Amino acid sequence: MKHNDDAVLQFLTVYMTNTGLFKVPCCFAGCSSMDVLVPNTINALNGTTVKIPCTFTSCYKMDATKFAMNWTYQETRNDTEEMFMTYYKKKGMVALRSDRFGDRVMFAGNLDKNDLSITLSDVQLEDEGIYNCYVRNPPDRIQGQGVIHLTVVTELPPPRDSTIAVAIGASVGGALALLILSMVVVKCLRRHRKQELISEEKMEEEGKLEAEGVAEEETK
């Protein structure tokens, strides 16, 4: 009986997820539910402090005795990853000694909220590259990974002049409003003309009936 119940639950999970009716939480379906959430790219101004966010979702509450995570850096996908922050059961999140980052990396998240974000201060051009956020939260069976591409710029792009955009938007909005108004006027005119035609036809019909009645009276 238990085997049949599991088969039914698995079928419902797949069916309702694929059809979009609703999504059954993975923890009830017995599958992995790890999901790491990060931005794909981040632009940082040289010499400033940047936050590199990483959060994760799980059906299971974090267990400090089993939880594991690492932050790594690599210049390109073909380069070896350098671990610069990790999680210890007793110490929590700890920045590792790194010749590249020194003491410029700090934990800026909140483990109680599944937030593993970090900050990198005094950003240098050499910090540009790929930052990986690895998370393992048993009893989830797989390791989650988030990949962030950090780009370091020497100056921020100039603010966009919104005057032209506002002018174009106002012009388009005005034209659209005029078009809608024209359509309403045309529709009202057509409706009014239709009512006039109906009234004329009705008057003609009444006139015919009245003429026929007079003719009948004269024949009598």
Side-chain angles (χ1 to χ4, degrees):
M1 186 66 180
K2 180 64 166 62
H3 177 73
N4 292 336
D5 291 343
D6 292 341
V8 172
L9 179 57
Q10 183 178 5
F11 170 78
L12 290 174
T13 301
V14 173
Y15 174 77
M16 293 185 176
T17 300
N18 292 338
T19 56
L21 295 178
F22 63 88
K23 186 174 182 180
V24 178
C26 287
C27 49
F28 297 123
C31 61
S32 174
S33 56
M34 169 65 67
D35 191 10
V36 178
L37 309 175
V38 298
N40 291 326
T41 59
I42 295 178
N43 294 324
L45 181 62
N46 184 40
T48 62
T49 297
V50 62
K51 182 177 182 179
I52 306 178
C54 175
T55 59
F56 72 94
T57 60
S58 175
C59 285
Y60 307 102
K61 184 177 176 61
M62 177 185 152
D63 185 346
T65 62
K66 300 178 181 179
F67 180 78
M69 85 84 49
N70 295 313
W71 274 101
T72 69
Y73 166 84
Q74 55 186 151
E75 291 186 8
T76 68
R77 273 299 178 194
N78 297 324
D79 294 316
T80 303
E81 295 184 41
E82 173 189 352
M83 186 165 64
F84 61 87
M85 180 168 285
T86 189
Y87 173 82
Y88 290 114
K89 297 177 182 179
K90 295 183 178 180
K91 298 180 180 180
M93 297 292 296
V94 176
L96 303 178
R97 189 175 188 84
S98 170
D99 294 334
R100 176 181 298 276
F101 300 118
D103 59 355
R104 294 185 295 124
V105 176
M106 293 185 62
F107 177 62
N110 186 335
L111 293 177
D112 293 334
K113 297 182 179 180
N114 296 352
D115 186 351
L116 307 172
S117 303
I118 59 173
T119 56
L120 176 61
S121 60
D122 191 19
V123 174
Q124 304 297 312
L125 294 175
E126 295 78 13
D127 297 333
E128 187 169 287
I130 301 171
Y131 292 75
N132 301 288
C133 179
Y134 294 102
V135 185
R136 184 181 292 277
N137 186 48
D140 280 326
R141 295 195 296 268
I142 65 171
Q143 175 176 264
Q145 179 185 6
V147 181
I148 307 109
H149 295 262
L150 177 67
T151 301
V152 181
V153 296
T154 55
E155 60 180 10
L156 292 175
R160 295 177 59 185
D161 187 359
S162 60
T163 304
I164 298 178
V166 171
I168 294 175
S171 301
V172 173
L176 183 60
L178 182 60
L179 177 61
I180 294 174
L181 179 61
S182 301
M183 293 175 65
V184 171
V185 171
V186 171
K187 187 174 181 180
C188 290
L189 291 174
R190 287 179 177 176
R191 182 178 297 175
H192 183 67
R193 179 57 181 164
K194 186 176 180 181
Q195 290 176 347
E196 288 181 346
L197 291 174
I198 293 174
S199 298
E200 291 176 359
E201 291 177 355
K202 186 175 181 181
M203 291 176 64
E204 290 179 0
E205 186 68 25
E206 291 177 351
K208 290 180 180 180
L209 293 175
E210 185 176 351
E212 290 176 356
V214 172
E216 289 179 359
E217 290 292 334
E218 290 179 352
T219 55
K220 291 180 180 180

